[in-house]
Amino acid sequence: FETASSITQTANVATAVNINDHTAGALVFDGDVTATTGLGMQFNNADGSYDFDGTNSLTGGTAGIDILGGSNGAFVFAATTNIGGRTAAAFVVSGDNTATPSVTYTGTIANSSNDAIRIENTGNGGTITFDSLAADAIADSGTGTGIFLNGAGSTINFTADMELTGTEGIDIDGGDGTYTFSDTDINATGVSFDVSGGTSSVSFLTNSTINQATNNAALNVLNHGTGTLDFNGDVTTTLGPGVVFNNADGNYSLDGTTTLAGGGSIDILT
């Protein structure tokens, strides 16, 4: 799909790009893709390689990116990709518990409703990376969760600058993957960082911060089996319970500056 080509989608229920049951081969989109409504880009059981190198603007209705089902392909979205204004989760990878897609998203997301990024039910293997160099590349102010990982077995790297100021910052529910947050600032109105179940290994690196100013936990770990949580970023609370571990059986380190005021504390419960 050459540079001089373009797709513009304004129909309410239509999809700009739909790839279904594609078992092999390569699709290279150098042209622009624009969707102001509809479903944006959808991939279902897509096992080829897909490169979107043009200007991809998905900015309304339910237009976003969904990689679904048993998709085991390689997906690349250039820095000229933008998702904004989607009423559903902006970027979704939803597998069948065996799918191991390889995803590189170098674009930006501005989310004001639902989840900014949702990754669920992926198998062990495959790497998913969000690596934009833009300032505030992943900006969430929505009513859902900034980053929602549910049963994710992938290696997931968030190296982009992320500003999460919505209802909940990061929610990791089950899963046994490895997740890295390199430059993530959380100022959520609900729980900032929540880990429930699973055996995941999480790194929250030096350039990342949590600032909790509501009556919710900055870090809440519940029923977490083996696995590690390594927090090198700073954690600050001015209200709320602080840091809570409940039936947490992994290895946990808070190596950054941890300041718990306003009644905050560290509670380790059984």
Side-chain angles (χ1 to χ4, degrees), residues 10-270:
T10 59
N12 190 43
V13 296
T15 304
V17 176
N18 183 48
I19 310 295
N20 190 52
D21 294 330
H22 183 244
T23 57
L27 277 71
V28 178
F29 276 68
D30 291 325
D32 298 343
V33 179
T34 301
T36 57
T37 187
L39 299 175
M41 299 182 185
Q42 295 243 315
F43 307 86
N44 195 353
N45 294 322
D47 297 332
S49 66
Y50 312 95
D51 288 275
F52 292 85
D53 298 323
T55 298
N56 308 299
S57 182
L58 311 174
T59 57
T62 55
I65 295 174
D66 297 289
I67 300 170
L68 309 173
S71 293
N72 291 296
F75 305 84
V76 177
F77 303 92
T80 46
T81 303
N82 172 54
I83 305 173
R86 193 183 199 193
T87 55
F91 193 106
V92 176
V93 179
S94 182
D96 62 357
N97 295 309
T98 64
T100 56
S102 172
V103 181
T104 301
Y105 184 83
T106 312
T108 60
I109 297 172
N111 181 66
S112 58
S113 64
N114 214 299
D115 304 333
I117 297 171
R118 180 188 300 161
I119 301 172
E120 57 190 2
N121 302 327
T122 57
N124 295 120
T127 300
I128 300 172
T129 300
F130 297 85
D131 62 355
S132 174
L133 297 178
D136 300 345
I138 311 296
D140 175 69
S141 59
T143 56
T145 301
I147 310 298
F148 182 36
L149 309 179
N150 179 22
S154 305
T155 296
I156 307 175
N157 299 313
F158 298 94
T159 62
D161 179 4
M162 301 202 299
E163 300 293 326
L164 310 179
T165 61
T167 300
E168 187 169 6
I170 295 171
D171 186 354
I172 299 172
D173 191 358
D176 57 358
T178 300
Y179 319 132
T180 301
F181 302 88
S182 299
D183 189 4
T184 300
D185 297 314
I186 305 174
N187 293 271
T189 59
V191 176
S192 295
F193 202 116
D194 189 50
V195 179
S196 179
T199 58
S200 57
S201 293
V202 180
S203 296
F204 192 74
L205 300 184
T206 304
N207 286 336
S208 299
T209 63
I210 292 175
N211 287 284
Q212 179 57 264
T214 70
N215 196 27
N216 294 282
L219 172 62
N220 184 61
V221 181
L222 173 66
N223 298 331
H224 183 244
T226 57
T228 62
L229 272 73
D230 187 4
F231 272 65
N232 290 309
D234 296 343
V235 178
T236 302
T237 69
T238 54
L239 191 65
V243 176
V244 180
F245 300 94
N246 191 343
N247 193 28
D249 298 330
N251 296 313
Y252 310 100
S253 61
L254 278 74
D255 297 323
T257 299
T258 302
T259 305
L260 307 178
S265 62
I266 297 175
D267 295 322
I268 301 173
L269 310 174
T270 58

